[in-house]
mmCIF file of all heavy atoms in Angstrom:
data_model
loop_
_atom_site.group_PDB
_atom_site.id
_atom_site.type_symbol
_atom_site.label_atom_id
_atom_site.label_comp_id
_atom_site.label_asym_id
_atom_site.label_seq_id
_atom_site.Cartn_x
_atom_site.Cartn_y
_atom_site.Cartn_z
ATOM 1 N N PHE A 1 -154.535 2.183 -143.481
ATOM 2 C CA PHE A 1 -155.780 2.187 -142.706
ATOM 3 C C PHE A 1 -156.335 0.750 -142.636
ATOM 4 O O PHE A 1 -156.671 0.319 -141.491
ATOM 5 C CB PHE A 1 -156.794 3.131 -143.347
ATOM 6 C CG PHE A 1 -158.181 3.077 -142.729
ATOM 7 C CD1 PHE A 1 -158.428 3.712 -141.554
ATOM 8 C CD2 PHE A 1 -159.201 2.346 -143.366
ATOM 9 C CE1 PHE A 1 -159.666 3.658 -140.944
ATOM 10 C CE2 PHE A 1 -160.454 2.302 -142.764
ATOM 11 C CZ PHE A 1 -160.675 2.933 -141.543
ATOM 12 N N LEU A 2 -156.430 0.069 -143.733
ATOM 13 C CA LEU A 2 -156.911 -1.294 -143.684
ATOM 14 C C LEU A 2 -156.051 -2.200 -142.858
ATOM 15 O O LEU A 2 -156.545 -3.082 -142.135
ATOM 16 C CB LEU A 2 -157.022 -1.807 -145.133
ATOM 17 C CG LEU A 2 -158.060 -1.147 -146.069
ATOM 18 C CD1 LEU A 2 -157.929 -1.720 -147.490
ATOM 19 C CD2 LEU A 2 -159.484 -1.329 -145.537
ATOM 20 N N GLY A 3 -154.754 -2.054 -142.984
ATOM 21 C CA GLY A 3 -153.879 -2.892 -142.202
ATOM 22 C C GLY A 3 -153.925 -2.595 -140.741
ATOM 23 O O GLY A 3 -153.780 -3.551 -139.953
ATOM 24 N N THR A 4 -154.159 -1.361 -140.343
ATOM 25 C CA THR A 4 -154.234 -0.964 -138.940
ATOM 26 C C THR A 4 -155.547 -1.406 -138.313
ATOM 27 O O THR A 4 -155.568 -1.982 -137.232
ATOM 28 C CB THR A 4 -154.063 0.544 -138.752
ATOM 29 O OG1 THR A 4 -152.788 0.943 -139.314
ATOM 30 C CG2 THR A 4 -154.111 0.920 -137.296
ATOM 31 N N VAL A 5 -156.638 -1.165 -139.014
ATOM 32 C CA VAL A 5 -157.979 -1.390 -138.435
ATOM 33 C C VAL A 5 -158.306 -2.878 -138.458
ATOM 34 O O VAL A 5 -158.788 -3.450 -137.469
ATOM 35 C CB VAL A 5 -159.055 -0.591 -139.231
ATOM 36 C CG1 VAL A 5 -160.446 -1.000 -138.734
ATOM 37 C CG2 VAL A 5 -158.823 0.895 -139.007
ATOM 38 N N LEU A 6 -158.049 -3.564 -139.569
ATOM 39 C CA LEU A 6 -158.414 -4.946 -139.718
ATOM 40 C C LEU A 6 -157.317 -5.961 -139.380
ATOM 41 O O LEU A 6 -157.561 -7.113 -139.193
ATOM 42 C CB LEU A 6 -158.892 -5.228 -141.205
ATOM 43 C CG LEU A 6 -160.136 -4.311 -141.572
ATOM 44 C CD1 LEU A 6 -160.512 -4.600 -143.039
ATOM 45 C CD2 LEU A 6 -161.302 -4.625 -140.676
ATOM 46 N N ALA A 7 -156.109 -5.440 -139.213
ATOM 47 C CA ALA A 7 -154.945 -6.207 -138.652
ATOM 48 C C ALA A 7 -154.860 -7.639 -139.153
ATOM 49 O O ALA A 7 -155.071 -8.588 -138.404
ATOM 50 C CB ALA A 7 -155.077 -6.199 -137.147
ATOM 51 N N PRO A 8 -154.524 -7.837 -140.468
ATOM 52 C CA PRO A 8 -154.405 -9.227 -140.949
ATOM 53 C C PRO A 8 -153.340 -10.070 -140.358
ATOM 54 O O PRO A 8 -153.391 -11.268 -140.457
ATOM 55 C CB PRO A 8 -154.219 -8.988 -142.470
ATOM 56 C CG PRO A 8 -153.572 -7.665 -142.563
ATOM 57 C CD PRO A 8 -154.171 -6.831 -141.467
ATOM 58 N N GLY A 9 -152.267 -9.428 -139.801
ATOM 59 C CA GLY A 9 -151.167 -10.181 -139.301
ATOM 60 C C GLY A 9 -151.199 -10.583 -137.852
ATOM 61 O O GLY A 9 -150.321 -11.254 -137.351
ATOM 62 N N LEU A 10 -152.232 -10.113 -137.074
ATOM 63 C CA LEU A 10 -152.311 -10.431 -135.668
ATOM 64 C C LEU A 10 -152.751 -11.895 -135.475
ATOM 65 O O LEU A 10 -153.496 -12.432 -136.271
ATOM 66 C CB LEU A 10 -153.328 -9.486 -135.000
ATOM 67 C CG LEU A 10 -152.889 -8.039 -134.798
ATOM 68 C CD1 LEU A 10 -153.918 -7.260 -134.042
ATOM 69 C CD2 LEU A 10 -151.527 -7.942 -134.127
ATOM 70 N N GLY A 11 -152.298 -12.481 -134.411
ATOM 71 C CA GLY A 11 -152.702 -13.837 -134.033
ATOM 72 C C GLY A 11 -151.789 -14.895 -134.490
ATOM 73 O O GLY A 11 -152.096 -16.083 -134.357
ATOM 74 N N VAL A 12 -150.716 -14.516 -135.260
ATOM 75 C CA VAL A 12 -149.778 -15.487 -135.788
ATOM 76 C C VAL A 12 -148.588 -15.636 -134.804
ATOM 77 O O VAL A 12 -147.870 -14.675 -134.533
ATOM 78 C CB VAL A 12 -149.244 -15.186 -137.154
ATOM 79 C CG1 VAL A 12 -148.267 -16.198 -137.662
ATOM 80 C CG2 VAL A 12 -150.454 -15.014 -138.147
ATOM 81 N N ASP A 13 -148.410 -16.804 -134.237
ATOM 82 C CA ASP A 13 -147.334 -17.048 -133.260
ATOM 83 C C ASP A 13 -146.040 -17.303 -134.073
ATOM 84 O O ASP A 13 -145.890 -18.384 -134.702
ATOM 85 C CB ASP A 13 -147.651 -18.184 -132.383
ATOM 86 C CG ASP A 13 -146.591 -18.416 -131.318
ATOM 87 O OD1 ASP A 13 -145.640 -17.579 -131.216
ATOM 88 O OD2 ASP A 13 -146.644 -19.450 -130.634
ATOM 89 N N THR A 14 -145.101 -16.384 -134.016
ATOM 90 C CA THR A 14 -143.846 -16.528 -134.746
ATOM 91 C C THR A 14 -142.656 -16.864 -133.862
ATOM 92 O O THR A 14 -141.547 -16.769 -134.283
ATOM 93 C CB THR A 14 -143.508 -15.220 -135.543
ATOM 94 O OG1 THR A 14 -143.395 -14.126 -134.573
ATOM 95 C CG2 THR A 14 -144.624 -14.886 -136.487
ATOM 96 N N THR A 15 -142.931 -17.293 -132.665
ATOM 97 C CA THR A 15 -141.811 -17.600 -131.753
ATOM 98 C C THR A 15 -140.974 -18.788 -132.215
ATOM 99 O O THR A 15 -139.804 -18.900 -131.922
ATOM 100 C CB THR A 15 -142.361 -17.960 -130.362
ATOM 101 O OG1 THR A 15 -143.290 -19.012 -130.464
ATOM 102 C CG2 THR A 15 -143.070 -16.707 -129.756
ATOM 103 N N ALA A 16 -141.576 -19.614 -133.096
ATOM 104 C CA ALA A 16 -140.799 -20.804 -133.621
ATOM 105 C C ALA A 16 -139.901 -20.405 -134.774
ATOM 106 O O ALA A 16 -139.069 -21.213 -135.188
ATOM 107 C CB ALA A 16 -141.778 -21.874 -134.050
ATOM 108 N N LEU A 17 -140.054 -19.182 -135.257
ATOM 109 C CA LEU A 17 -139.240 -18.739 -136.399
ATOM 110 C C LEU A 17 -137.939 -18.229 -135.912
ATOM 111 O O LEU A 17 -137.897 -17.426 -134.965
ATOM 112 C CB LEU A 17 -140.004 -17.726 -137.269
ATOM 113 C CG LEU A 17 -141.288 -18.177 -137.893
ATOM 114 C CD1 LEU A 17 -141.856 -17.044 -138.703
ATOM 115 C CD2 LEU A 17 -141.081 -19.399 -138.735
ATOM 116 N N ASN A 18 -136.899 -18.541 -136.608
ATOM 117 C CA ASN A 18 -135.572 -17.983 -136.325
ATOM 118 C C ASN A 18 -135.205 -16.910 -137.274
ATOM 119 O O ASN A 18 -134.624 -17.084 -138.314
ATOM 120 C CB ASN A 18 -134.523 -19.102 -136.391
ATOM 121 C CG ASN A 18 -133.102 -18.617 -136.020
ATOM 122 O OD1 ASN A 18 -133.010 -17.592 -135.373
ATOM 123 N ND2 ASN A 18 -132.099 -19.355 -136.463
ATOM 124 N N VAL A 19 -135.632 -15.665 -136.986
ATOM 125 C CA VAL A 19 -135.455 -14.553 -137.893
ATOM 126 C C VAL A 19 -134.544 -13.483 -137.318
ATOM 127 O O VAL A 19 -134.381 -12.437 -137.881
ATOM 128 C CB VAL A 19 -136.824 -13.933 -138.294
ATOM 129 C CG1 VAL A 19 -137.697 -14.880 -138.991
ATOM 130 C CG2 VAL A 19 -137.519 -13.384 -137.080
ATOM 131 N N GLY A 20 -133.934 -13.784 -136.127
ATOM 132 C CA GLY A 20 -133.106 -12.790 -135.579
ATOM 133 C C GLY A 20 -133.869 -11.750 -134.778
ATOM 134 O O GLY A 20 -135.073 -11.741 -134.730
ATOM 135 N N ASP A 21 -133.150 -10.805 -134.190
ATOM 136 C CA ASP A 21 -133.775 -9.808 -133.417
ATOM 137 C C ASP A 21 -134.418 -8.727 -134.308
ATOM 138 O O ASP A 21 -133.781 -8.292 -135.337
ATOM 139 C CB ASP A 21 -132.749 -9.153 -132.504
ATOM 140 C CG ASP A 21 -132.206 -10.078 -131.435
ATOM 141 O OD1 ASP A 21 -132.964 -10.998 -131.099
ATOM 142 O OD2 ASP A 21 -131.039 -9.898 -131.018
ATOM 143 N N THR A 22 -135.605 -8.320 -134.026
ATOM 144 C CA THR A 22 -136.276 -7.315 -134.755
ATOM 145 C C THR A 22 -135.748 -5.919 -134.387
ATOM 146 O O THR A 22 -135.591 -5.623 -133.199
ATOM 147 C CB THR A 22 -137.840 -7.360 -134.466
ATOM 148 O OG1 THR A 22 -138.304 -8.567 -134.803
ATOM 149 C CG2 THR A 22 -138.499 -6.251 -135.271
ATOM 150 N N PRO A 23 -135.330 -5.136 -135.329
ATOM 151 C CA PRO A 23 -134.790 -3.818 -135.045
ATOM 152 C C PRO A 23 -135.800 -2.974 -134.255
ATOM 153 O O PRO A 23 -137.002 -3.057 -134.508
ATOM 154 C CB PRO A 23 -134.510 -3.236 -136.431
ATOM 155 C CG PRO A 23 -134.494 -4.395 -137.370
ATOM 156 C CD PRO A 23 -135.380 -5.404 -136.773
ATOM 157 N N PRO A 24 -135.319 -2.187 -133.282
ATOM 158 C CA PRO A 24 -136.239 -1.319 -132.544
ATOM 159 C C PRO A 24 -136.766 -0.248 -133.441
ATOM 160 O O PRO A 24 -136.149 0.095 -134.457
ATOM 161 C CB PRO A 24 -135.350 -0.802 -131.406
ATOM 162 C CG PRO A 24 -133.953 -0.818 -132.010
ATOM 163 C CD PRO A 24 -133.897 -2.033 -132.856
ATOM 164 N N PRO A 25 -137.930 0.371 -133.053
ATOM 165 C CA PRO A 25 -138.448 1.493 -133.835
ATOM 166 C C PRO A 25 -137.470 2.640 -133.894
ATOM 167 O O PRO A 25 -136.703 2.853 -132.992
ATOM 168 C CB PRO A 25 -139.707 1.886 -133.024
ATOM 169 C CG PRO A 25 -140.064 0.704 -132.200
ATOM 170 C CD PRO A 25 -138.765 0.035 -131.895
ATOM 171 N N SER A 26 -137.531 3.343 -134.967
ATOM 172 C CA SER A 26 -136.620 4.445 -135.196
ATOM 173 C C SER A 26 -136.942 5.596 -134.216
ATOM 174 O O SER A 26 -138.085 5.914 -133.924
ATOM 175 C CB SER A 26 -136.731 4.993 -136.657
ATOM 176 O OG SER A 26 -135.975 6.185 -136.785
ATOM 177 N N GLU A 27 -135.875 6.185 -133.634
ATOM 178 C CA GLU A 27 -136.063 7.304 -132.679
ATOM 179 C C GLU A 27 -135.523 8.610 -133.266
ATOM 180 O O GLU A 27 -135.277 9.549 -132.602
ATOM 181 C CB GLU A 27 -135.343 7.028 -131.355
ATOM 182 C CG GLU A 27 -135.918 5.814 -130.645
ATOM 183 C CD GLU A 27 -135.143 5.518 -129.325
ATOM 184 O OE1 GLU A 27 -134.257 6.256 -128.997
ATOM 185 O OE2 GLU A 27 -135.639 4.597 -128.595
ATOM 186 N N THR A 28 -135.355 8.622 -134.550
ATOM 187 C CA THR A 28 -134.872 9.838 -135.241
ATOM 188 C C THR A 28 -135.924 10.916 -135.204
ATOM 189 O O THR A 28 -137.095 10.666 -135.309
ATOM 190 C CB THR A 28 -134.431 9.539 -136.669
ATOM 191 O OG1 THR A 28 -135.579 8.992 -137.354
ATOM 192 C CG2 THR A 28 -133.280 8.529 -136.695
ATOM 193 N N THR A 29 -135.455 12.143 -135.205
ATOM 194 C CA THR A 29 -136.406 13.312 -135.176
ATOM 195 C C THR A 29 -136.682 13.655 -136.632
ATOM 196 O O THR A 29 -136.110 13.110 -137.574
ATOM 197 C CB THR A 29 -135.698 14.551 -134.507
ATOM 198 O OG1 THR A 29 -134.592 14.953 -135.321
ATOM 199 C CG2 THR A 29 -135.273 14.167 -133.117
ATOM 200 N N TRP A 30 -137.669 14.561 -136.813
ATOM 201 C CA TRP A 30 -138.060 14.978 -138.194
ATOM 202 C C TRP A 30 -136.918 15.699 -138.873
ATOM 203 O O TRP A 30 -136.789 15.627 -140.075
ATOM 204 C CB TRP A 30 -139.294 15.880 -138.114
ATOM 205 C CG TRP A 30 -139.129 17.180 -137.402
ATOM 206 C CD1 TRP A 30 -139.324 17.464 -136.075
ATOM 207 C CD2 TRP A 30 -138.744 18.418 -138.013
ATOM 208 N NE1 TRP A 30 -139.038 18.739 -135.825
ATOM 209 C CE2 TRP A 30 -138.670 19.367 -136.967
ATOM 210 C CE3 TRP A 30 -138.347 18.799 -139.281
ATOM 211 C CZ2 TRP A 30 -138.350 20.735 -137.220
ATOM 212 C CZ3 TRP A 30 -138.016 20.091 -139.520
ATOM 213 C CH2 TRP A 30 -138.012 21.110 -138.490
ATOM 214 N N ARG A 31 -136.058 16.397 -138.057
ATOM 215 C CA ARG A 31 -134.871 17.038 -138.656
ATOM 216 C C ARG A 31 -133.893 15.991 -139.239
ATOM 217 O O ARG A 31 -133.320 16.176 -140.318
ATOM 218 C CB ARG A 31 -134.205 17.879 -137.644
ATOM 219 C CG ARG A 31 -135.019 19.119 -137.167
ATOM 220 C CD ARG A 31 -134.246 19.928 -136.184
ATOM 221 N NE ARG A 31 -134.980 21.096 -135.739
ATOM 222 C CZ ARG A 31 -135.905 21.109 -134.723
ATOM 223 N NH1 ARG A 31 -136.139 19.975 -134.124
ATOM 224 N NH2 ARG A 31 -136.537 22.220 -134.445
ATOM 225 N N ASP A 32 -133.704 14.929 -138.445
ATOM 226 C CA ASP A 32 -132.859 13.838 -138.919
ATOM 227 C C ASP A 32 -133.382 13.184 -140.182
ATOM 228 O O ASP A 32 -132.642 12.837 -141.086
ATOM 229 C CB ASP A 32 -132.648 12.754 -137.855
ATOM 230 C CG ASP A 32 -131.952 13.305 -136.572
ATOM 231 O OD1 ASP A 32 -131.136 14.233 -136.739
ATOM 232 O OD2 ASP A 32 -132.237 12.800 -135.480
ATOM 233 N N MET A 33 -134.727 13.065 -140.211
ATOM 234 C CA MET A 33 -135.332 12.432 -141.365
ATOM 235 C C MET A 33 -135.193 13.280 -142.636
ATOM 236 O O MET A 33 -134.860 12.789 -143.674
ATOM 237 C CB MET A 33 -136.840 12.228 -141.103
ATOM 238 C CG MET A 33 -137.553 11.466 -142.206
ATOM 239 S SD MET A 33 -139.315 11.119 -141.803
ATOM 240 C CE MET A 33 -139.132 10.066 -140.416
ATOM 241 N N ILE A 34 -135.345 14.612 -142.460
ATOM 242 C CA ILE A 34 -135.115 15.495 -143.573
ATOM 243 C C ILE A 34 -133.684 15.452 -144.071
ATOM 244 O O ILE A 34 -133.420 15.329 -145.282
ATOM 245 C CB ILE A 34 -135.548 16.957 -143.255
ATOM 246 C CG1 ILE A 34 -137.019 17.029 -143.039
ATOM 247 C CG2 ILE A 34 -135.130 17.947 -144.330
ATOM 248 C CD1 ILE A 34 -137.541 18.363 -142.562
ATOM 249 N N MET A 35 -132.760 15.545 -143.159
ATOM 250 C CA MET A 35 -131.306 15.460 -143.536
ATOM 251 C C MET A 35 -130.998 14.077 -144.178
ATOM 252 O O MET A 35 -130.179 14.007 -145.067
ATOM 253 C CB MET A 35 -130.465 15.725 -142.337
ATOM 254 C CG MET A 35 -130.457 17.141 -141.810
ATOM 255 S SD MET A 35 -129.916 18.350 -143.135
ATOM 256 C CE MET A 35 -128.260 17.786 -143.467
ATOM 257 N N GLY A 36 -131.669 13.051 -143.682
ATOM 258 C CA GLY A 36 -131.400 11.738 -144.195
ATOM 259 C C GLY A 36 -131.900 11.528 -145.632
ATOM 260 O O GLY A 36 -131.487 10.609 -146.353
ATOM 261 N N MET A 37 -132.776 12.454 -146.093
ATOM 262 C CA MET A 37 -133.283 12.373 -147.459
ATOM 263 C C MET A 37 -132.301 12.890 -148.472
ATOM 264 O O MET A 37 -132.425 12.618 -149.654
ATOM 265 C CB MET A 37 -134.618 13.120 -147.565
ATOM 266 C CG MET A 37 -135.748 12.535 -146.769
ATOM 267 S SD MET A 37 -137.192 13.643 -146.700
ATOM 268 C CE MET A 37 -137.559 13.808 -148.476
ATOM 269 N N ILE A 38 -131.294 13.674 -148.014
ATOM 270 C CA ILE A 38 -130.323 14.262 -148.913
ATOM 271 C C ILE A 38 -129.185 13.291 -149.167
ATOM 272 O O ILE A 38 -128.476 12.874 -148.236
ATOM 273 C CB ILE A 38 -129.797 15.553 -148.309
ATOM 274 C CG1 ILE A 38 -130.950 16.541 -148.028
ATOM 275 C CG2 ILE A 38 -128.742 16.192 -149.248
ATOM 276 C CD1 ILE A 38 -130.495 17.768 -147.244
ATOM 277 N N PRO A 39 -129.002 12.877 -150.457
ATOM 278 C CA PRO A 39 -127.914 11.870 -150.758
ATOM 279 C C PRO A 39 -126.570 12.533 -150.780
ATOM 280 O O PRO A 39 -126.038 12.904 -151.851
ATOM 281 C CB PRO A 39 -128.352 11.393 -152.103
ATOM 282 C CG PRO A 39 -129.111 12.539 -152.714
ATOM 283 C CD PRO A 39 -129.798 13.263 -151.580
ATOM 284 N N GLN A 40 -125.969 12.679 -149.630
ATOM 285 C CA GLN A 40 -124.651 13.370 -149.564
ATOM 286 C C GLN A 40 -123.573 12.598 -150.314
ATOM 287 O O GLN A 40 -122.670 13.159 -150.861
ATOM 288 C CB GLN A 40 -124.216 13.537 -148.107
ATOM 289 C CG GLN A 40 -125.239 14.358 -147.282
ATOM 290 C CD GLN A 40 -124.800 14.583 -145.846
ATOM 291 O OE1 GLN A 40 -123.640 14.782 -145.588
ATOM 292 N NE2 GLN A 40 -125.766 14.539 -144.956
ATOM 293 N N SER A 41 -123.725 11.274 -150.321
ATOM 294 C CA SER A 41 -122.805 10.422 -151.139
ATOM 295 C C SER A 41 -123.665 9.381 -151.847
ATOM 296 O O SER A 41 -124.024 8.341 -151.257
ATOM 297 C CB SER A 41 -121.787 9.699 -150.249
ATOM 298 O OG SER A 41 -121.052 8.766 -150.992
ATOM 299 N N PRO A 42 -123.996 9.635 -153.084
ATOM 300 C CA PRO A 42 -124.840 8.690 -153.836
ATOM 301 C C PRO A 42 -124.308 7.245 -153.858
ATOM 302 O O PRO A 42 -125.084 6.266 -153.768
ATOM 303 C CB PRO A 42 -124.893 9.270 -155.226
ATOM 304 C CG PRO A 42 -124.656 10.745 -155.039
ATOM 305 C CD PRO A 42 -123.670 10.811 -153.905
#
């Protein structure tokens, strides 16, 4: 809540940083998330 409302990280220009491409947001469904919680191979 504090991070969303008060947004401490906004306003920083990071274009000069070479950190690679940022991964896109996850598009997995809630079913995929539940199945992903099960460690089929530890």
Side-chain angles (χ1 to χ4, degrees):
F1 173 78
L2 292 175
T4 301
V5 174
L6 300 178
L10 290 184
V12 180
D13 183 8
T14 59
T15 55
L17 298 182
N18 182 22
V19 298
D21 295 330
T22 301
S26 174
E27 298 181 356
T28 56
T29 66
W30 65 270
R31 294 181 178 85
D32 296 330
M33 185 176 295
I34 291 176
M35 289 301 299
M37 294 170 59
I38 303 173
Q40 300 181 38
S41 172

